[in-house]
Amino acid sequence: MAAGTTHHTIVSTQSHLWNCKNSRLDETPTKVGLVSIRSCSSGNRKLGLVCASGSKSSIIDPVQLPSPSGKGESSLILIRHGESMWNEKNLFTGCVDVPLTPTGVEEAIEAGKRICNIPIDVIFTSAMIRSQMTAMLAMMQHRRKKVPIITHKESEQAHSWSQIYSEHTRKQSVPVITAWQLNERMYGELQGLNKQETAERFGKEQVHEWRRSYDMPPPNGESLAMCADRAVTYFKDQVVPQLITGKHVMVAAHANSLRSIIMHLDKLTSQEVISLELSTGIPMLYIFKEGEFLRRGSPAGPSEASVYAYTKNLAQYRQKLDSMVQ
């Protein structure tokens, strides 16, 4: 998320009423739904984190390492995919299924190192290879050494044929759920065009409006508003329930689908979201606890003390990991 973006939002997802405070100190508690969001600065306890080296990458028995979720506490990680081959060529990509560049692969690996001490129980990606590659490469850096496995439920036969019959193997796996609703915004007739050449042809102002306005779609494409409608609906229907049950979730998706979700979480206006830029391969962390999302920002490295002072439960999780890989 852009550094200047503030986080002072309340969002309801269910009809049950809770008393939750907004981030602004001059506001009184209000009745909102089960899920609410407020601001929270990074903690200042020094909890340095170090990822396991290649010589200490043994598989950790899940029975010996219980979930740190505690009383309804869980984490949400959002990651925009690494640089794609069309990002590199400065082409409009949209819903064209393009893989990562070597730089994108490195970005995904670095993202994985930054979140290698955060528990992950389920992964959501778009249906596109660049987001799936990012999720897989990031998970390969995780200290739990669990295997990300794409779930196939597109047909009864696909679901049946992909069953895992070992309970131990299942516990050493992380389900990866793919969803077209998390796909990048469909850029219509701009897809495959060079961005600079398109600006020269149609004018910089017109192309900027197609790219950054909230409700102006490119020719035969989607506006950000249209992308937000599908992405945010899916997030509320599928991702939030996982968090409510205490699951730790990672979402690997795209600039505009994630921009839509962050717009929803941060209650950004249609004008504010225009200036929201998301870098490739940079993870963002939210903590879900007692009905609230607490934004922790983007981890800058596996040993950054202030960012990794998340919560008592995650600190204990890290310490348990340290003791089991040493």
Side-chain angles (χ1 to χ4, degrees), residues 223-271:
S223 65
L224 180 57
M226 297 163 69
C227 177
D229 183 60
R230 58 175 166 84
V232 173
T233 298
Y234 184 85
F235 179 82
K236 292 192 293 186
D237 290 347
Q238 302 297 325
V239 178
V240 171
Q242 296 280 348
L243 295 165
I244 291 174
T245 61
K247 295 289 182 65
H248 305 282
V249 178
M250 180 168 76
V251 178
H254 305 263
N256 284 294
S257 53
L258 290 178
R259 183 180 284 125
S260 301
I261 292 170
I262 293 169
M263 179 185 180
H264 169 68
L265 296 179
D266 290 0
K267 266 301 192 281
L268 301 179
T269 67
S270 59
Q271 290 300 313

Side-chain angles (χ1 to χ4, degrees), residues 140-158:
M140 288 175 67
Q141 310 308 310
H142 202 279
R143 296 177 70 187
R144 283 296 299 275
K145 301 301 176 185
K146 286 189 173 183
V147 178
I149 297 179
I150 295 178
T151 61
H152 288 281
K153 295 184 178 180
E154 57 269 24
S155 69
E156 183 177 346
Q157 180 173 331

Side-chain angles (χ1 to χ4, degrees), residues 279-323:
S279 300
T280 54
I282 301 297
M284 291 173 289
L285 174 67
Y286 292 79
I287 299 296
F288 178 82
K289 184 177 182 180
E290 296 179 354
E292 297 179 344
F293 279 101
L294 311 177
R295 183 167 60 86
R296 290 297 189 183
S298 176
S303 60
E304 187 185 60
S306 62
V307 171
Y308 278 93
Y310 300 138
T311 68
K312 180 179 179 181
N313 283 336
L314 289 189
Q316 292 174 342
Y317 181 84
R318 174 195 61 83
Q319 292 166 358
K320 187 69 173 178
L321 283 173
D322 286 344
S323 68

